[in-house]
Amino acid sequence: MAGRSETDSVEPLLEELIKELMTSTGSDVKSGSHHEDAITAALSEAATVSLSRTLAQASAFERVLLVGALAPALADALAPALAKALVPEIVTALSQMSATASTSKEPIASSSPGGSH
């Protein structure tokens, strides 16, 4: 029954957020965007609280299953941002490697004063 009371505490918040979302559809773009950001933040917070409570009561096996289900979704969500952040660094590193490789392949001048025979 403890799980039921925790669910009851989250459901009114979600209902309120959904009602707010439905009534805010007629507002102008700037305040709508601010409204959407606030609703997204509130939903994220409610989901985090609910998930942390669920994880606290879950067995080790249930936690492993949850992590196994969430990890691919998290990786898919983070991949574009990670790639966008890494591309400039990779280009810089490849440019430096290319410059180093081209300078190391230049012929070394002969140190003997007579040259070749």
Side-chain angles (χ1 to χ4, degrees):
M1 290 262 180
R4 178 72 178 142
S5 65
E6 290 169 3
T7 304
D8 290 342
S9 66
V10 175
E11 286 178 4
L13 175 62
L14 293 176
E15 287 177 17
E16 181 181 335
L17 290 171
I18 290 170
K19 286 178 185 176
E20 183 69 28
L21 180 63
M22 297 302 285
T23 59
S24 69
T25 57
S27 60
D28 64 316
V29 174
K30 287 183 181 178
S31 68
S33 176
H34 176 68
H35 234 26
E36 290 173 8
D37 291 343
I39 289 171
T40 300
L43 282 171
S44 295
E45 183 178 343
T48 302
V49 168
S50 177
L51 183 61
S52 64
R53 286 179 182 162
T54 301
L55 285 175
Q57 297 173 351
S59 69
F61 180 71
E62 290 169 329
R63 289 179 190 166
V64 168
L65 288 177
L66 185 61
V67 168
L70 290 178
L74 184 60
D76 288 343
L78 292 177
L82 183 60
K84 186 176 180 180
L86 287 177
V87 165
E89 298 299 323
I90 292 171
V91 169
T92 302
L94 289 174
S95 297
Q96 289 174 350
M97 288 172 36
S98 175
T100 303
S102 66
T103 57
S104 68
K105 289 183 180 179
E106 290 179 4
I108 300 174
S110 175
S111 59
S112 63
S116 62
H117 292 250

